[in-house]
Amino acid sequence: MSWGKPHGKGTLKWPNGRNHVGDFKFGQEDGFGICLIPDSSGDRYDCYKCHWRNGAIHGYGICEYADESVYKGYFKDNMRHGFGILENQTSTTTSWKYTGTWDRDKRTGYGVWESSDNSERYIGMWQENQRHGLGIVLLNTGSCYQGVFNASKLVGSGILITEDNNLYEGEFTEACLLSGKGKLTFANGFTLEGTFNKTAHSGLQTHGVLSTGCSFQDEILKKKFQFGAGSFPVEERWQGIFEQFQKFLESGCKREAEESFLGFHVKSSKKMQKSQEYLYCQRDNEKDLGQTEDIMKELSLELKSLQSYVEKAFNTSHHPLKKVIKLLLVVFQATYSGLGANFHLLSMAQEEIKYYAKKLWEFFRALLALKTEKSSGPLSGENDEDEMSEDLNPYTVILPAMLPRFHPDLFMLYMLYRQQEDALYWQGIVRLGHLTDTKLLEFLDVQKQLWPLKDVKLTPTQALPLTKNPANPNKAQPTPYPRRKRYSIVRHKCFQSATECLQKIISTVDPKEKLEIILKTYQEIEKTVSRVVSKDYKLPMDDLLPLLIYVVSRAGIQHLGAEIHFIQDLMDPSNRGGINDFLLTALESCYEHIQKDEVRLFK
């Protein structure tokens, strides 16, 4: 108590059954606390595990409501405000889950809504608990559509993609039924343009013009239409998460802001106070500050040092960056896993990943700058930002630590997007696999002087075919003189080191490491050829492409198209135009050659 008012840690009970356990300041709840508030019946309680400020819930918290709904997110003045997740388990209505932005207890802004039975998912804009603005709806039937909503009703024109890949662009009814002018593109490329009318009890009625002229490429582009492209600016999607961390930075990482952001009581956590990875929050005593300065001495502005630190930060439960990456993973999975595993959302997903890395890099540099202001170690100084080398950027420091968490859901979208092309490519790989090494090298027009036949180890039976024994015609004997070696029965022996090297491309999720593997594969091919011709040999493109096709066919990477697309989207822009970019383009040419020509070559 202080001056007759609760002050410090304690328990306060009200006559109506309300019970608060936590920190108080001059009579008001202030700091972390747990509060039970009875409902109207008095038999059940709303349970708040939150951070409080001046008697009101403020910052991150968890609320378990009496109706069994659960909210995890940020509050302001006792209301849900900012980013939060609400799982509505009310038995009187269909249960659902909302992940997104709140404004004074109302779903407002960008968010994702999903029914508990996974039959429908809405991704888009909200206003006062209603769908309002541009939105995307995914159904468990396989259909999906994008349009503009007003008070949760579809208005105007939109785009519908059916489960059998028919695409409709035109006008809809409020219930998302085709009605009015539009254009329907069938899966085979045919188009029907005119007036459409479809009701729930009758089939589709139309009056228009049918066109049967469509190129294969146009058909592919239509099938791979990307929702949300240019419609949802990536900077505006998850502002609620980034705003909370920005406020934490602007406060100078003070303990009060830290507790509000992280959602737990810092002073009670000895583990966090002793954590060597937790460098940037303000400490009240000289001992803590001294420990922090000692740790900063170990952190240099070198790539491996920064990568190691970021990896530790992402894995340390009490580090602020861990909080951000955890929330970003939650919203990414809420959008793109389950029903969201739809390749029409690939563009949205990959641009989100790049934006996450960009924002986390900005936050990391801000934390570093803030700490160097308070530190007198070797990192202090006004030119630390200028001393950072060009190879320090979001793609080299943040993505390697971030991607392992997001890769399963993200790469699933790439596999779905490339499913048709990868299937054709794999048919080619299977048929090429039936050819022996020499037959395949000959088929690919590889110059015979480059064939590494010395690498082929033949068994005695292969080297010396059996002949008839003159003394006993029924018994064979080894040929007494050398015969032509039977290289034609050998498979998977030539360029084996390059093949094994390329197979490692699936062992990492880092685009930079994947590019390094492709470069190493090229070097192994060149090294083998140089040994065969007994001199340094720089492969021209005419020789490289067939040899690379050979290695690709023997490596047997099942989803190579998805791998190439993944690297192209997330590689460091500084690699574009260099040797890595050239070799990636060469690998893509091999993939397309096997994919497009397999029917013509092997039928």
Side-chain angles (χ1 to χ4, degrees):
M1 303 290 289
S2 177
W3 296 93
K5 296 180 180 180
H7 187 81
K9 296 184 181 299
T11 300
L12 183 61
K13 298 181 179 180
W14 284 259
N16 64 355
R18 178 178 175 180
N19 190 338
H20 184 98
V21 179
D23 290 336
F24 293 83
K25 189 175 181 180
F26 300 117
Q28 293 184 319
E29 302 94 324
D30 197 287
F32 183 77
I34 299 176
C35 184
L36 297 177
I37 301 177
D39 64 0
S40 57
S41 67
D43 297 329
R44 308 177 74 181
Y45 291 82
D46 291 339
C47 178
Y48 292 87
K49 305 171 186 177
C50 304
H51 187 271
W52 303 69
R53 180 184 295 176
N54 298 328
I57 306 175
H58 187 93
Y60 186 83
I62 299 174
C63 179
E64 300 169 352
Y65 296 100
D67 62 3
E68 297 185 359
S69 298
V70 179
Y71 174 81
K72 300 178 181 180
Y74 290 92
F75 291 84
K76 183 179 180 180
D77 297 331
N78 287 332
M79 294 182 288
R80 294 172 295 220
H81 191 85
F83 172 77
I85 302 169
L86 177 63
E87 292 189 57
N88 189 321
Q89 304 293 337
T90 306
S91 58
T92 57
T93 61
T94 303
S95 56
W96 47 266
K97 179 180 180 179
Y98 173 78
T99 304
T101 308
W102 297 78
D103 183 39
R104 299 187 179 186
D105 253 358
K106 301 291 181 69
R107 300 189 295 275
T108 299
Y110 184 80
V112 178
W113 179 96
E114 183 173 13
S115 59
S116 61
D117 59 359
N118 295 322
S119 62
E120 180 182 347
R121 179 177 297 179
Y122 172 82
I123 304 168
M125 305 306 295
W126 294 77
Q127 183 173 311
E128 296 187 353
N129 290 336
Q130 293 185 319
R131 302 175 185 182
H132 192 88
L134 191 65
I136 300 169
V137 176
L138 308 173
L139 303 175
N140 61 357
T141 60
S143 299
C144 48
Y145 60 89
Q146 173 180 294
V148 178
F149 291 81
N150 186 359
S152 294
K153 296 179 180 178
L154 191 63
V155 296
S157 60
I159 297 172
L160 167 69
I161 300 178
T162 65
E163 58 273 17
D164 50 1
N165 281 327
N166 296 325
L167 186 147
Y168 173 79
E169 303 169 86
E171 299 175 348
F172 292 87
T173 65
E174 294 179 353
C176 196
L177 298 175
L178 279 61
S179 179
K181 294 181 179 180
K183 180 180 179 181
L184 179 62
T185 303
F186 297 95
N188 62 1
F190 292 1
T191 60
L192 178 61
E193 189 168 2
T195 303
F196 297 82
N197 184 26
K198 183 177 182 180
T199 64
H201 304 289
S202 63
L204 177 65
Q205 300 176 351
T206 181
H207 181 271
V209 178
L210 177 66
S211 174
T212 59
C214 181
S215 68
F216 177 77
Q217 189 64 29
D218 290 339
E219 177 187 344
I220 292 295
L221 291 176
K222 284 292 184 182
K223 285 183 178 180
K224 297 192 173 181
F225 178 86
Q226 292 296 292
F227 282 135
S231 304
F232 299 110
V234 67
E235 299 84 3
E236 299 177 7
R237 289 182 200 167
W238 302 111
Q239 286 184 336
I241 297 176
F242 300 120
E243 284 177 354
Q244 295 296 331
F245 194 88
Q246 190 63 42
K247 292 177 181 177
F248 174 60
L249 288 175
E250 292 173 355
S251 71
C253 298
K254 293 182 179 179
R255 178 160 293 165
E256 295 79 7
E258 174 189 355
E259 292 179 348
S260 176
F261 170 66
L262 295 177
F264 59 82
H265 195 15
V266 175
K267 295 178 183 178
S268 65
S269 176
K270 294 182 180 179
K271 180 180 178 181
M272 191 203 66
Q273 292 176 3
K274 294 180 179 179
S275 173
Q276 290 189 346
E277 291 81 17
Y278 191 79
L279 306 182
Y280 298 117
C281 284
Q282 177 178 316
R283 295 292 179 259
D284 291 339
N285 57 63
E286 295 180 359
K287 181 178 179 181
D288 285 334
L289 183 59
Q291 291 176 347
T292 303
E293 290 174 354
D294 291 339
I295 299 166
M296 288 298 298
K297 292 178 182 178
E298 302 176 4
L299 183 62
S300 63
L301 296 179
E302 295 179 357
L303 179 59
K304 289 193 175 181
S305 176
L306 296 181
Q307 285 177 333
S308 176
Y309 174 79
V310 170
E311 180 64 39
K312 289 180 180 178
F314 286 170
N315 289 311
T316 303
S317 59
H318 300 106
H319 197 288
L321 288 177
K322 169 69 174 181
K323 180 74 172 183
V324 179
I325 197 71
K326 183 178 179 181
L327 292 178
L328 291 177
L329 181 58
V330 167
V331 299
F332 190 84
Q333 292 178 336
T335 310
Y336 303 110
S337 66
L339 279 180
N342 188 312
F343 67 82
H344 298 293
L345 301 178
L346 175 58
S347 290
M348 288 181 60
Q350 62 92 6
E351 69 179 4
E352 271 192 36
I353 290 294
K354 290 191 284 190
Y355 186 70
Y356 295 167
K358 175 186 173 184
K359 293 298 293 184
L360 288 168
W361 176 241
E362 291 176 0
F363 291 155
F364 175 72
R365 294 185 69 168
L367 288 171
L368 186 61
L370 183 63
K371 187 56 199 174
T372 53
E373 289 178 6
K374 304 176 181 180
S375 194
S376 59
L379 290 182
S380 63
E382 298 180 357
N383 300 321
D384 288 339
E385 295 289 318
D386 298 334
E387 292 176 3
M388 283 194 175
S389 60
E390 294 181 358
D391 64 338
L392 300 179
N393 57 58
Y395 295 90
T396 58
V397 178
I398 303 297
L399 271 181
M402 189 184 89
L403 274 178
R405 295 162 172 79
F406 295 86
H407 184 266
D409 297 307
L410 178 62
F411 196 70
M412 175 60 72
L413 298 179
Y414 279 98
M415 288 194 296
L416 293 172
Y417 187 88
R418 287 285 186 173
Q419 187 173 19
Q420 182 179 355
E421 295 91 335
D422 277 344
L424 291 174
Y425 151 80
W426 190 248
Q427 292 175 19
I429 290 293
V430 171
R431 298 191 184 188
L432 286 173
H434 294 155
L435 299 178
T436 62
D437 286 354
T438 53
K439 287 290 184 182
L440 182 54
L441 291 169
E442 182 179 4
F443 175 76
L444 295 174
D445 292 328
V446 177
Q447 297 183 54
K448 289 193 175 182
Q449 64 178 10
L450 306 181
W451 292 15
L453 296 181
K454 292 182 181 179
D455 294 345
V456 179
K457 296 180 180 179
L458 301 176
T459 63
T461 303
Q462 294 170 332
L464 298 174
L466 298 178
T467 60
K468 291 184 179 181
N469 188 341
N472 186 357
N474 296 324
K475 186 177 180 181
Q477 68 177 5
T479 303
Y481 52 86
R483 293 283 300 274
R484 182 179 179 183
K485 296 183 178 181
R486 298 177 61 192
Y487 291 111
S488 60
I489 67 174
V490 179
R491 293 183 176 89
H492 302 281
K493 294 296 184 182
C494 295
F495 297 98
Q496 190 171 3
S497 61
T499 300
E500 293 174 351
C501 183
L502 185 60
Q503 288 172 336
K504 296 177 182 177
I505 198 171
I506 64 174
S507 65
T508 179
V509 301
D510 183 3
K512 181 182 178 182
E513 293 182 359
K514 290 179 183 290
L515 288 173
E516 290 172 351
I517 290 172
I518 297 172
L519 176 60
K520 183 78 181 326
T521 302
Y522 163 73
Q523 292 170 345
E524 287 294 327
I525 294 174
E526 204 166 65
K527 180 180 176 181
T528 301
V529 171
S530 297
R531 189 180 70 249
V532 170
V533 299
S534 300
K535 64 178 182 180
D536 289 339
Y537 192 86
K538 297 299 181 182
L539 286 169
M541 191 63 181
D542 291 343
D543 289 338
L544 172 62
L545 194 59
L547 288 174
L548 193 55
I549 293 176
Y550 174 90
V551 172
V552 170
S553 67
R554 291 312 196 211
I557 300 168
Q558 191 165 4
H559 301 289
L560 184 59
E563 292 283 1
I564 293 171
H565 194 175
F566 175 83
I567 298 170
Q568 289 172 335
D569 282 348
L570 298 176
M571 65 188 288
D572 187 347
S574 65
N575 285 319
R576 303 194 185 279
I579 181 64
N580 288 323
D581 195 17
F582 166 75
L583 292 175
L584 182 62
T585 303
L587 183 63
E588 185 177 22
S589 298
C590 297
Y591 168 80
E592 292 176 351
H593 182 87
I594 296 172
Q595 168 207 328
K596 293 181 179 179
D597 292 345
E598 70 89 19
V599 175
R600 177 178 64 82
L601 294 174
F602 303 108
K603 202 166 184 178

